[in-house]
Amino acid sequence: MPKPNPRHPNYPIPSGPVLRAKGWRQEGLLRLLENVLSVGEDPDNLIVYAALGKAARNWAAHRAIVKALSEMEEDQTLVIQSGKPVGLLKTHAKAPLVIMANCNIVGQWAKAEVFYELQRKGLICWGGLTAGAWQYIGSQGVIQGTYEIFMRIAEKRFGGSLAGRFILTAGLGGMGGAQPLAGRMAGAAILCVDIDPARAAARKAVGYLEHIAPDLDTALAMIDAAVKEKRATSIGLVGNAAEVYPEIARRGIVPDIVTDQTSAHDLVYGYVPKGMSLDQVKGLRDDGQGQLMVASRASIVEHVSAMLEFQKRGSEVFDNGNLIRTQAREGGVADAFDIPIFTEAYLRPLFARAIGPFRWMALSGEESDIARIDDLVLEMFPDNSIVTNWIRLARENIPFEGLPARIAWLGHGERTALALAVNTLVAAGELKGPIAFSRDHLDAGAMAHPNIMTERMKDGSDAIADWPLLDAMLLCSSMADLVVVHSGGGGYAGYMTSCGVTLVADGTDGGAERLEHALTNDTSLGVIRYADAGYDESFDEIKRKGIGHIAPG
Ligand code: NAD
């Protein structure tokens, strides 16, 4: 029986032991598809997060996917092109059940305007990273990454603690909604600005945001009090960041940390220009795209100029992966890239060891399955302080949305070992059902994104998209259950290519074989990608863990 979903009552949360498909692998993928809508931002329009990231091309395509997953045999492969199923073909029982290519547009054509036109004609849809690949787990999906960034900054600038520190950010959408909770978990007083009252209310309802202030004066007073008392808190404020950031700067207030996670990557469907209401913007999305692009970019120029001003006055300022610097530079802010990207500034040493955002979902719908795996992680990795600290914090602080899930930054060998141990628990009947494993596309070998993931790589290989393509082929060769190649849509068109993977730990020997090969090879390629670019951490990892790297010459 599905469980009720208070946020979107028409999209109940899949759960229970009854299969509608011919096996748990197919059923698991079907539940993940249902789950991305149950935790998505606008499920009636199939939109999951990041403004336009969709679960399927349209409702006809969605129905056809559900039918295929329900009816397909284990030795068939469902082929999906930009959110539309185009074939159900006979392969073999060790082949992926689902392969997808979403939103890959040939180089010279990969531009926002071309994407919008193809989308209008119904020929394409953007899958975001995890939306079209049915891997999205709500705001939890990026929360550890955001928390780790804050903690890296705490170590670098503030003696290891953010108690008594003020973080200013914006965006309380699907992913940005992780910020208030990550900031509070890191001990800071965090102010999150969002133009849409419904988004702020949604984050408060689910427990990610503590308070919504009625106006800027009250918000700043609440932050000030928390800072003085060194009390962790999260405050939401409904407003336009392009107005609020410059106003805070004008008042001479210097936050300790400044970032942003509005959907600045998309000037039409994402960012809301200052001076416009949400309804005005919606009205212009179909036939006023040019006007919206100009207005959004002008606002982003003011927004980023304020961020640069904070940086000059001493704030730690970073781009949190939404292309806001790129948009500002195109609008004439020549020094926009003085703001660093979070990957290069804080996380690259982890990625160089293929440590990244791994996650698992309880297909039974039972929270107790996640609790059991939390215990297992603590037992298996007692010396990995990043992970043990995270699991303890996460189980205390993170409310579940949709299918109970957990994210943890694990690396090569660790992911495989955990998944195999979980598969054994499933086989022994110690969990209520199978567990699906996945990871963010923002992972070591899985993404080429020269303004986010691969900015300023040591060898200059930022724009080379061979790695995610190799990753996808390797994952198909390694028997993963679902393999996908995504490229950017909307404002991200032409900016990125990534690969995603999902596996179902169904407790069988076949499941163990798939998990072992796919997860081991995925992180092997991640380490190899960074070794190829010359990172010392990767060579160390190769030596310590015996990864099959070839270095000609
Ligand atoms: P979303 O579309 O669900 O939410 C964006 C939010 O920004 C909305 O709530 C919207 O109301 C708000 N907004 C838009 N313009 C605004 C303005 N001028 N002032 C204040 N608020 C404004 O998107 P999301 O899923 O939260 O993703 C946000 C951005 O983060 C996207 O660009 C996405 O690609 C990026 N992202 C980064 C990472 C990462 O790993 N760092 C991960 C996921 C997403």
Side-chain angles (χ1 to χ4, degrees):
M1 274 289 287
K3 292 187 175 169
N5 179 4
R7 184 170 175 212
H8 301 305
N10 293 333
Y11 299 87
I13 300 155
S15 63
V18 180
L19 299 191
R20 295 147 306 165
K22 293 188 175 166
W24 260 113
R25 293 171 69 206
Q26 300 94 312
E27 175 74 22
L29 296 180
L30 176 58
R31 289 187 186 200
L32 294 179
L33 167 61
E34 292 168 329
N35 191 50
V36 296
L37 292 178
S38 66
V39 295
E41 293 300 293
D42 179 10
D44 288 348
N45 289 306
L46 291 161
I47 287 178
V48 178
Y49 77 106
L52 274 185
K54 290 177 86 173
R57 181 101 58 97
N58 51 41
W59 280 107
H62 179 273
R63 281 190 294 276
I65 293 170
V66 171
K67 184 168 183 295
L69 288 172
S70 309
E71 294 175 358
M72 70 188 291
E73 303 290 342
E74 261 208 306
D75 60 359
Q76 290 181 302
T77 296
L78 174 62
V79 183
I80 297 189
Q81 179 261 328
S82 282
K84 186 179 84 169
V86 292
L88 182 58
L89 305 177
K90 172 95 171 63
T91 48
H92 54 87
K94 290 188 176 182
L97 285 172
V98 177
I99 56 170
M100 303 177 166
N102 288 334
C103 206
N104 300 285
I105 304 176
V106 171
Q108 296 286 337
W109 281 259
K111 304 204 163 49
E113 293 83 345
V114 177
F115 167 83
Y116 295 138
E117 181 58 13
L118 292 171
Q119 181 182 245
R120 199 186 55 73
K121 290 180 176 164
L123 295 174
I124 205 164
C125 77
W126 180 47
L129 301 182
T130 53
W134 318 332
Q135 296 157 340
Y136 182 76
I137 55 170
S139 299
Q140 189 183 168
V142 288
I143 196 166
Q144 194 190 355
T146 312
Y147 170 82
E148 296 298 343
I149 292 168
F150 290 152
M151 293 317 291
R152 291 294 172 288
I153 296 173
E155 282 157 22
K156 180 176 139 192
R157 295 273 307 263
F158 305 113
S161 165
L162 291 186
R165 300 291 168 184
F166 169 21
I167 303 174
L168 171 64
T169 188
L172 286 169
M175 297 282 78
Q179 298 179 105
L181 184 52
R184 190 158 61 81
M185 287 165 76
I190 181 166
L191 175 59
C192 307
V193 183
D194 198 294
I195 189 65
D196 185 347
R199 303 296 188 108
R203 303 294 79 100
K204 186 159 181 274
V206 79
Y208 272 66
L209 174 68
E210 278 182 309
H211 310 284
I212 300 176
D215 52 50
L216 179 59
D217 290 342
T218 313
L220 290 173
M222 290 165 87
I223 290 286
D224 196 42
V227 164
K228 285 195 176 113
E229 293 163 26
K230 294 192 185 294
R231 175 167 47 80
T233 192
S234 56
I235 315 285
L237 174 69
V238 176
N240 195 306
E243 290 170 328
V244 174
Y245 281 37
E247 174 59 21
I248 293 176
R250 195 191 62 74
R251 294 184 188 194
I253 297 168
V254 183
D256 296 290
I257 300 172
V258 180
T259 187
D260 171 75
Q261 219 168 14
T262 58
S263 273
H265 70 273
D266 196 308
L267 302 174
V268 176
Y269 291 88
Y271 198 82
V272 176
K274 77 175 202 186
M276 281 195 196
S277 70
L278 288 170
D279 283 343
Q280 275 174 306
V281 169
K282 277 181 197 143
L284 285 170
R285 280 181 175 155
D286 284 338
D287 50 14
Q289 291 183 354
Q291 185 188 341
L292 266 184
M293 287 174 104
V294 171
S296 290
R297 185 161 281 133
S299 287
I300 288 175
V301 163
E302 293 184 60
H303 188 159
V304 171
S305 299
M307 291 171 77
L308 284 162
E309 186 56 37
F310 287 129
Q311 189 184 44
K312 284 190 192 103
R313 296 182 193 173
S315 307
E316 178 82 11
V317 182
F318 67 93
D319 178 320
N320 202 1
N322 62 353
L323 228 54
I324 195 164
R325 298 166 307 160
T326 315
Q327 305 285 22
R329 188 174 57 188
E330 282 170 24
V333 183
D335 53 353
F337 275 69
D338 285 358
I339 298 172
I341 185 73
F342 72 100
T343 45
E344 194 211 359
Y346 314 115
L347 302 178
R348 190 148 293 162
L350 296 180
F351 286 128
R353 293 185 187 276
I355 297 170
F358 190 51
R359 77 266 295 266
W360 49 95
M361 290 73 85
L363 295 171
S364 64
E366 295 300 329
E367 295 180 7
S368 59
D369 284 356
I370 297 298
R372 177 70 187 89
I373 302 173
D374 283 344
D375 291 337
L376 182 67
V377 174
L378 294 173
E379 282 160 31
M380 287 180 70
F381 309 109
D383 301 327
N384 183 335
S385 58
I386 293 182
V387 167
T388 52
N389 171 46
W390 173 251
I391 293 292
R392 288 194 186 100
L393 269 174
R395 71 191 315 178
E396 261 172 47
N397 290 285
I398 300 184
F400 292 119
E401 298 174 82
L403 280 180
R406 184 67 78 221
I407 184 149
W409 279 53
L410 290 168
H412 181 74
E414 295 170 330
R415 297 183 189 189
T416 311
L418 178 66
L420 289 175
V422 167
N423 198 54
T424 305
L425 290 185
V426 175
E430 287 191 39
L431 298 174
K432 299 269 171 17
I435 301 293
F437 285 93
S438 177
R439 55 155 173 73
D440 199 357
H441 293 210
L442 187 117
D443 203 35
M447 180 184 276
H449 198 326
N451 279 175
I452 297 185
M453 182 64 173
T454 48
E455 182 166 318
R456 285 161 41 104
M457 290 292 285
K458 221 172 172 174
D459 64 344
S461 59
D462 308 16
I464 294 177
D466 293 340
W467 297 101
L469 300 180
L470 286 172
D471 198 16
M473 289 187 275
L474 187 60
L475 286 163
C476 288
S477 323
S478 306
M479 300 170 276
D481 285 314
L482 176 147
V483 181
V484 57
V485 177
H486 279 189
S487 290
Y492 280 132
Y495 280 96
M496 57 149 301
T497 295
S498 66
C499 160
V501 59
T502 301
L503 289 129
V504 177
D506 58 1
T508 62
D509 290 346
E513 191 184 11
R514 285 187 287 275
L515 290 163
E516 176 156 17
H517 288 287
L519 295 175
T520 305
N521 289 337
D522 189 41
T523 45
S524 296
L525 190 75
V527 174
I528 289 170
R529 192 267 174 270
Y530 280 83
D532 197 68
Y535 287 86
D536 292 341
E537 293 90 344
S538 312
F539 291 110
D540 179 53
E541 202 71 5
I542 285 166
K543 212 160 55 185
R544 284 195 310 120
K545 296 188 176 166
I547 296 169
H549 173 232
I550 299 176

